[in-house]
Amino acid sequence: MHLSILSKASVAIACLSLGTSGSPLHQPTSFCSPSYPATGWEIRDIFNQFVDEWVYQRNFSDSAAKYLSPNLIQHNPQIANGSEAMVAAVGPILANYDGPNFSLVVVDEEKGLAVTLNRYVGKPGTGLPIAGVADFYRFDGTCIVEHWDVIESLPPNSTNPDPF
Ligand SMILES: *[C@@H]1O[C@H](CO)[C@@H](O)[C@H](O)[C@H]1NC(C)=O
Ligand SMILES: *[C@@H]1O[C@H](CO)[C@@H](O)[C@H](O)[C@H]1NC(C)=O
Ligand SMILES: *[C@@H]1O[C@H](CO)[C@@H](O)[C@H](O)[C@H]1NC(C)=O
Ligand SMILES: *[C@@H]1O[C@H](CO)[C@@H](O)[C@H](O)[C@H]1NC(C)=O
């Protein structure tokens, strides 16, 4: 098993990185329609690109078609299966928050699993609490096919004032 832990800065750098073969990552219109078998370094590069487009560029609708299976298996209880439902849910949520900021990105490319831990801060006037969100993604080949998340709001008078 090969685990990599990337900081926000190294995610940005990794987006520009070349694969071990020395060639840039092949850039199809979609990594899901169709997906194809992926090497470990391809999974890592694809995930880093997804993180960059999805979170930093906030390119949800375009990048969803590129990275998420149309039949995405969804484990968030408030979102239906499918990439369209994910986009419909995530866009408005993120519109109310500053961030997210990635505090941790872990990719286990051999198992095709990737995890991010994020810090969200409600925009002024929304009354939304600071929250920590762990997102888990499973790849099948080049395509993200399954998503889980765990969300924890910062409680009032928390013992640890800034745990995320
Ligand atoms: C959004 O994503 C699409 C598809 O990947 C890409 O063609 C487009 O350039 C992206 N736009 C921005 C602003 O990043
Ligand atoms: C979502 O997809 C999974 C896997 O196919 C399935 O087991 C589950 O029943 C689906 N959920 C809904 C609400 O259709
Ligand atoms: C994200 O990080 C930047 C730079 O460190 C910081 O200015 C900003 O407040 C952070 N935002 C959130 C939501 O944590
Ligand atoms: C937080 O602590 C203060 C001081 O002990 C207390 O007055 C207040 O009720 C607490 N707030 C909550 C939401 O627990």
Side-chain angles (χ1 to χ4, degrees):
M1 183 168 82
H2 181 183
L3 284 180
S4 59
I5 298 180
L6 308 172
S7 68
K8 179 180 169 183
S10 71
V11 168
I13 292 165
C15 289
L16 303 171
S17 72
L18 302 179
T20 49
S21 68
S23 351
L25 180 65
H26 175 53
Q27 287 293 345
T29 311
S30 171
F31 289 108
C32 290
S33 308
S35 67
Y36 50 91
T39 63
W41 68 264
E42 282 175 312
I43 286 177
R44 189 195 296 224
D45 278 5
I46 291 167
F47 190 69
N48 288 333
Q49 274 187 200
F50 167 72
V51 163
D52 181 61
E53 288 184 30
W54 183 269
V55 176
Y56 293 117
Q57 300 179 38
R58 305 208 158 201
N59 196 351
F60 310 120
S61 45
D62 286 339
S63 61
K66 186 171 179 183
Y67 299 100
L68 302 180
S69 166
N71 305 313
L72 182 76
I73 302 170
Q74 179 62 258
H75 296 277
N76 180 307
Q78 292 176 307
I79 308 176
N81 282 345
S83 57
E84 282 184 18
M86 181 90 159
V87 170
V90 167
I93 290 171
L94 292 195
N96 288 321
Y97 285 90
D98 290 325
N101 274 6
F102 284 91
S103 42
L104 188 64
V105 178
V106 181
V107 181
D108 180 346
E109 56 262 44
E110 283 178 21
K111 290 200 172 76
L113 293 170
V115 180
T116 62
L117 177 64
N118 298 307
R119 179 177 192 273
Y120 289 81
V121 180
K123 284 190 176 159
T126 62
L128 291 165
I130 295 175
V133 179
D135 287 284
F136 303 76
Y137 301 88
R138 180 172 67 83
F139 278 81
D140 182 2
T142 52
C143 180
I144 295 171
V145 296
E146 192 161 7
H147 170 254
W148 300 254
D149 59 24
V150 182
I151 302 173
E152 184 176 23
S153 296
L154 187 67
N157 293 348
S158 61
T159 304
N160 183 339
D162 195 0
F164 309 129

